[in-house]
Amino acid sequence: MKWGGRRSSGNLDDRRGMSGGGMVAGGGIIGAIVLVIYMFMGGDSGAVLDQMQQMQGGNGEPVELTEEDKALGQMVDAILADTEDVWHRIFEENGLTYEEPTLVLFRNSVQTECGGATSASGPFYCPIDRKVYMDLAFFDELQARYGAKGGDFAIAYVIAHEIGHHVQTLLGTSQRVTQLQQGTDTRGANKLSVALELQADFYAGLWTHYNQEMKDFLEAGDIEEALSAANAVGDDAIQKGNVMPDSFTHGTSAQRMYWFKKGFESGDFNQGDTFKELNLSL
């Protein structure tokens, strides 16, 4: 992915130079964290609670960023700027106004308006403060534990997916899903969650299509990196030998790859109705 020399976003909040210690709040966010872990970390909620206990305290000393850390931050900044350019264009084409989110880079633990979280939760979007949170160590885990290909475009895919959740918040989709989930059983709520996640994958593909059209930034192997990451975080891939379809909350590997490719290949915002495809209505 050709990101060097591109503009930076004014919406990156890089907290990696801060101490990783500090009390991590519990409360209602735990359920949300476990849901995200189910996607990214195989549903091991115990790992999160262990990490929370280990991270209490901290000496508050600043952490020096390496040159590699700085380069990764610059890359994330450029990707975030690209999402802004693309979504401003898509919203304008549809008579809407895009509101830019903030992306927070952190290490180990972070406080959000949705509560406290740790790096074990994986990248996530908080709709209350409208910020995306990422610990870049997640991508090492994605490769080591789930066999995903590395590369900068795997990071771009995940950022674009989380920005997709921000788009859903701006459009009111997330709010309608939450309301419907409150009036249905667990199986129905999970199915709604799957549709929401697959649509975020479609939006990631759509962003890739528009960004390639506008800036010609893709390199050989980039789409394969994105598809590999999507494949690695499918519910069936994470559950491995103990697959329980009714418990899926993010979709199978095949579904995730399909919707990313559909967004990328179609370039059509109106083809992203994953709810209709799953016989759901909002």
Side-chain angles (χ1 to χ4, degrees):
M1 173 183 168
K2 296 175 284 190
W3 61 267
R6 309 260 281 283
R7 83 168 182 89
S8 298
S9 168
N11 296 306
L12 181 68
D13 181 1
D14 192 344
R15 303 181 190 176
R16 294 174 299 162
M18 300 168 61
S19 170
M23 179 73 75
V24 179
I29 189 61
I30 297 299
I33 291 175
V34 170
L35 181 64
V36 179
I37 291 169
Y38 196 77
M39 170 184 180
F40 291 116
M41 301 300 293
D44 187 2
S45 58
V48 179
L49 297 176
D50 289 344
Q51 191 169 358
M52 286 181 175
Q53 293 172 354
Q54 294 168 7
M55 289 180 180
Q56 292 179 5
N59 56 20
E61 293 293 326
V63 178
E64 178 137 9
L65 297 180
T66 66
E67 291 304 312
E68 181 180 4
D69 288 333
K70 293 175 184 178
L72 279 172
Q74 292 167 358
M75 182 185 73
V76 170
D77 207 355
I79 294 169
L80 180 60
D82 285 343
T83 67
E84 294 163 357
D85 294 343
V86 167
W87 283 108
H88 275 298
R89 175 176 166 180
I90 294 174
F91 269 54
E92 287 171 6
E93 290 175 351
N94 289 274
L96 302 169
T97 301
Y98 182 66
E99 299 173 22
E100 298 173 358
T102 296
L103 192 155
V104 179
L105 291 179
F106 71 96
R107 275 196 174 116
N108 299 326
S109 63
V110 68
Q111 291 293 331
T112 82
E113 289 299 316
C114 294
T118 75
S119 56
S121 65
F124 65 96
Y125 173 73
C126 173
I128 300 176
D129 59 24
R130 299 192 173 186
K131 294 180 180 180
V132 173
Y133 294 87
M134 295 180 65
D135 184 332
L136 293 174
F138 159 74
F139 295 96
D140 295 330
E141 180 75 8
L142 195 64
Q143 288 180 264
R145 187 168 180 178
Y146 298 114
K149 292 181 180 178
D152 47 19
F153 203 75
I155 296 176
Y157 155 72
V158 173
I159 293 173
H161 173 94
E162 297 304 333
I163 296 297
H165 287 310
H166 176 64
V167 170
Q168 290 168 328
T169 296
L170 295 180
L171 296 177
T173 308
S174 297
Q175 296 88 323
R176 291 196 294 275
V177 166
T178 299
Q179 292 171 354
L180 288 172
Q181 286 176 322
Q182 293 170 352
T184 188
D185 58 15
T186 300
R187 182 178 179 181
N190 287 347
K191 193 172 182 180
L192 285 162
S193 177
V194 167
L196 198 68
E197 294 296 333
L198 294 179
Q199 188 178 68
D201 282 326
F202 172 84
Y203 287 156
L206 186 66
W207 166 75
T208 306
H209 174 95
Y210 269 75
N211 210 347
Q212 173 67 359
E213 178 184 297
M214 293 164 62
K215 304 179 181 181
D216 189 26
F217 79 127
L218 289 181
E219 295 179 307
D222 282 345
I223 297 301
E224 287 74 14
E225 288 177 12
L227 292 174
S228 176
N231 178 73
V233 293
D235 284 320
D236 53 342
I238 290 175
Q239 291 184 8
K240 295 181 180 178
N242 188 29
V243 177
M244 298 176 290
D246 286 347
S247 70
F248 289 176
T249 55
H250 290 76
T252 66
S253 296
Q255 287 176 313
R256 304 204 64 175
M257 292 189 291
Y258 169 82
W259 282 102
F260 174 85
K261 287 176 66 177
K262 186 170 184 177
F264 173 63
E265 292 172 356
S266 73
D268 184 355
F269 179 73
N270 295 310
Q271 291 193 33
D273 191 348
T274 54
F275 297 91
K276 182 178 180 181
E277 290 284 334
L278 295 177
N279 297 314
L280 297 169
S281 60
L282 292 184

